[in-house]
Amino acid sequence: MDDGQNPLLHPARPLWQRLMAEAITRPAELLAALDIDPALPSLAADKLRDFPIRVPRGFVARMRRGDAEDPLFLQVWPSPREADEVPGYTADAVGDLAKLKAGGLIHKYVGRALVVTTGACAINCRYCFRRHFPYSDALGSRGHWRETLASLDADHSIEAVILSGGDPLALADDKLAEFVQALDARPWIRRLRLHTRVPVVLPERVDENLLGWLNATRLQKVV
C-alpha cells in the first residue's frame, strides 16, 4: 500500500520545484516577513483578488525590511491603481489574441514566433501584461506539443522560436527538452529564445538538468 512516504513511488522533486511550491502567496505573510505595517494607506488593494501574490522566499529576502517603497516589494505588491479603467486600454495589452494560432503559437513578426508554454510563473509581477490571457485554451505543452509543431511545420519562414508564458522555466525539464529536441529536428529553425525571469527570482532553477538540455541543442540560445 502506498502511504505517501515511499521514495520510489514519490521521488524527491528538484530543489527549484520545492522552492516554487513554498512561495509566499498570502499578503499578510509577505508583510509580516518584511516587518511592514499593514495599516499603511498605500497598501490598500481590496479590488485586486483576481491576480494573487506569488513571490519566492529567496526573492523576499532581498527586499528591504520595513520599507513599503522598496522597488522589489513594489514589483509584487498590488497597487490600487491596477483597478483603474482607462479609455483606450484593454486586457490584451500587446494584441496577443489576434495573432494566436493552434498550439499556443503567437506569430506577430517575420521570422519568429512565440510559444505560450505554460501559464505558471515563479513570481507574479504586478506589471504582467498576460494576467488575463486564456491559458486554459492555448498551451503549447498540452498534447506533447503536437499542435505547436504542426503550426511551425506549416510555415518554414519561422527561424526563431521564443518560449514564453507564463514563464517557460516553470515547466519541468523533460517537457522542455521534448520540445527543444523536436525543434532541433526542423532544420529551418535556427534560434531558441527564452523569455524568463526565473534566473533572477529563483536562481536555483538553473541546475544541471536545465543546462543539460540547453547544451544539447544545436540551436543558438538567447535568454
Side-chain angles (χ1 to χ4, degrees):
M1 183 176 64
D2 175 19
D3 60 2
Q5 304 300 317
N6 188 336
L8 296 179
L9 296 176
H10 299 275
R13 290 181 295 173
L15 173 62
W16 69 268
Q17 287 186 334
R18 300 199 300 272
L19 294 175
M20 271 190 64
E22 295 168 0
I24 291 178
T25 57
R26 295 189 299 112
E29 183 180 3
L30 178 58
L31 296 180
L34 294 170
D35 291 329
I36 293 177
D37 182 0
L40 289 172
S42 63
L43 301 180
D46 296 338
K47 298 180 181 179
L48 298 171
R49 302 183 186 280
D50 63 321
F51 191 56
I53 284 174
R54 168 170 291 276
V55 53
R57 294 175 187 274
F59 195 67
V60 173
R62 294 156 60 185
M63 299 175 184
R64 293 196 294 262
R65 300 180 69 85
D67 185 0
E69 299 299 319
D70 173 66
L72 300 186
F73 174 73
L74 294 176
Q75 289 182 26
V76 301
W77 186 263
S79 164
R81 295 186 62 187
E82 293 176 35
D84 292 349
E85 294 188 9
V86 181
Y89 285 74
T90 68
D92 184 19
V94 294
D96 283 339
L97 297 182
K99 300 295 184 179
L100 182 62
K101 298 183 178 182
L105 199 77
I106 297 174
H107 191 189
K108 296 182 184 179
Y109 306 107
V110 175
R112 66 181 187 269
L114 181 147
V115 179
V116 179
T117 59
T118 177
C121 281
I123 188 170
N124 283 355
C125 306
R126 302 318 306 178
Y127 49 81
C128 177
F129 55 79
R130 288 205 184 107
R131 66 169 70 183
H132 301 293
F133 189 85
Y135 289 108
S136 60
D137 301 325
L139 289 184
S141 54
R142 183 180 294 118
H144 294 280
W145 313 100
R146 282 188 291 270
E147 287 187 310
T148 313
L149 294 170
S151 293
L152 291 171
D153 288 341
D155 189 347
H156 288 202
S157 72
I158 297 174
E159 297 182 343
V161 174
I162 303 163
L163 304 190
S164 186
D167 194 304
L169 294 188
L171 276 180
D173 286 309
D174 58 343
K175 291 185 178 180
L176 291 168
E178 176 186 45
F179 184 52
V180 173
Q181 288 170 4
L183 296 180
D184 247 330
R186 287 156 170 81
W188 65 90
I189 298 175
R190 300 167 48 206
R191 187 174 300 109
L192 176 70
R193 289 171 52 180
L194 299 175
H195 284 190
T196 178
R197 286 205 73 203
V198 165
V200 174
V201 302
L202 189 70
E204 293 85 356
R205 176 64 179 95
V206 184
D207 58 14
E208 290 185 4
N209 288 333
L210 170 62
L211 297 177
W213 62 262
L214 273 177
N215 287 329
T217 179
R218 65 167 175 82
L219 302 171
Q220 178 189 4
K221 296 167 283 289
V222 181
V223 178

